[in-house]
Amino acid sequence: MIIDIPDTTASKVAKGLVKIREEGGQVALGRVLNLVVIARPEEIESSIQAANAASSEHPCRVIVVSDSGPSESTALDAQIRVGGDAGASEVIVLKAASEVVRHTDTLVMPLLLPDAPIVAWWPSIVPSKPSAEPIGAMAQTRLTDSVNSDSPEANLRTLRDNHVPGDVDLAWTRATVWRGLLATALDQPPFEPVQSVEIEGDSSHPSLDLLGAWLGKALDVRVTITGIPGAQGLTRVLLRRASGDIEFSRPDGKRATLRQPNMPEQHINLPIRSLEECLAEELRRLYPDVFYSEVLIDGLPRVETKP
């Protein structure tokens, strides 16, 4: 069910939501968190789709705030979605002029579930310091997505300079499976040092930088990233060792091949992770990701990118 409420206030929207629950038998008892999404107008629907998919595992109240552009008006247009149009969540969409949206904390305060964690998510806008944003200061977890931003590499380094515990970028989450596979391969004999690491793929994709930073920090080596024209994300990781190299190759973005000395080739299903999967993973952990913090701050200087 979708209900439009034009020219309203956040308090009226909150009362409207209570009335809908009372009349329709909807309850909020199972909601475990507040997910506040700061979205551009063109990404409202894709953000709601990802949140609805993640809500099957994490029932939540989703509040989407979108800037409708400069205006002298302080009018707020809202929409409430419940039932089949909201997955296991309640979705509230707020569209307001830029001046109103600047005060996101005041705007969403009446709509937050009390005593529930707050997660702030910017699907493509990357604030230079998420924790300093009005809603970021309220949130326990702050999710950015430099992959979808206008300047991925520059934004990743800005996030590094202004990082505080609780910040996480979904470029890190997109590399979770790669980290698991590489850790498993290195946990097999012979247990000898890795001399260098080479990574190939879309050089503008920040997941390559973060995976390289993780490997560089964990193995105490320099990491080289080489851009491959037309690549789909991360396509190849090569770990050089004295007894022979470990190589993961995924040229098609779907299936990876593992090659190791004196071992038969292994083929592994490794599709590019969806936004829904990454969002659901981060909503499982409502506490600071210590490993991400260390990799972002200490690991990135070890990465060298070639054109």
Side-chain angles (χ1 to χ4, degrees):
M1 179 169 62
I2 299 178
I3 300 172
D4 292 309
I5 312 176
D7 195 10
T8 186
T9 65
S11 296
K12 290 180 181 179
V13 175
K15 292 176 182 178
L17 187 58
V18 172
K19 183 178 179 181
I20 291 168
R21 288 205 308 267
E22 291 175 346
E23 294 179 350
Q26 301 287 338
V27 296
L29 297 178
R31 310 296 183 234
V32 298
L33 59 88
N34 298 283
L35 177 61
V36 183
V37 187
I38 314 301
R40 290 170 170 154
E42 65 272 17
E43 61 194 15
I44 290 175
E45 293 304 323
S46 60
S47 301
I48 292 174
Q49 181 180 349
N52 285 350
S55 73
S56 61
E57 186 176 340
H58 313 280
C60 56
R61 175 169 291 179
V62 180
I63 305 171
V64 182
V65 180
S66 184
D67 188 339
S68 58
S71 173
E72 295 182 1
S73 172
T74 58
L76 172 68
D77 292 330
Q79 185 182 83
I80 298 175
R81 303 185 188 187
V82 294
D85 293 296
S89 300
E90 298 166 326
V91 178
I92 303 166
V93 181
L94 305 175
K95 298 179 182 179
S98 302
E99 184 58 36
V100 177
V101 172
R102 285 194 190 98
H103 306 284
T104 315
D105 49 349
T106 304
L107 185 61
V108 306
M109 191 80 74
L111 301 169
L112 295 171
L113 291 171
D115 303 319
I118 301 172
V119 177
W121 173 34
W122 293 266
S124 65
I125 303 166
V126 179
S128 58
K129 189 173 184 179
S131 62
E133 294 293 306
I135 193 62
M138 298 170 59
Q140 286 77 28
T141 300
R142 294 163 293 274
L143 304 177
T144 52
D145 197 353
S146 57
V147 172
N148 293 321
S149 68
D150 297 329
S151 304
E153 292 180 277
N155 284 328
L156 187 63
R157 279 155 177 77
T158 299
L159 290 173
R160 174 183 180 268
D161 293 340
N162 296 294
H163 176 77
V164 299
D167 295 352
V168 179
D169 194 85
L170 293 182
W172 169 252
T173 319
R174 285 182 167 87
T176 296
V177 180
W178 279 94
R179 297 198 307 271
L181 291 172
L182 289 163
T184 299
L186 289 169
D187 201 29
Q188 306 296 323
F191 303 105
E192 61 181 359
V194 173
Q195 299 169 336
S196 64
V197 175
E198 298 173 17
I199 296 177
E200 295 180 358
D202 179 358
S203 59
S204 68
H205 200 299
S207 292
L208 276 70
D209 297 85
L210 289 172
L211 182 67
W214 173 71
L215 287 167
K217 177 174 172 55
L219 303 175
D220 193 23
V221 295
R222 294 292 299 181
V223 179
T224 301
I225 296 176
T226 302
I228 305 298
Q232 298 186 57
L234 177 60
T235 58
R236 183 171 177 261
V237 177
L238 184 68
L239 309 177
R240 294 201 178 277
R241 300 189 302 185
S243 64
D245 302 338
I246 298 175
E247 179 189 26
F248 276 96
S249 176
R250 186 189 65 175
D252 62 356
K254 298 177 181 178
R255 194 180 188 199
T257 300
L258 169 60
R259 300 180 179 90
Q260 302 179 82
N262 306 315
M263 296 283 288
E265 287 188 358
Q266 297 181 45
H267 300 284
I268 306 159
N269 285 328
L270 189 58
I272 294 174
R273 301 193 78 192
S274 67
L275 176 59
E276 291 82 357
E277 289 176 302
C278 295
L279 181 61
E281 178 181 327
E282 288 305 331
L283 294 183
R284 293 185 202 116
R285 180 185 52 250
L286 298 180
Y287 54 86
D289 188 334
V290 176
F291 291 106
Y292 168 75
S293 299
E294 292 178 350
V295 165
L296 185 69
I297 295 170
D298 300 329
L300 274 182
R302 297 175 179 270
V303 178
E304 175 188 353
T305 301
K306 294 182 177 180

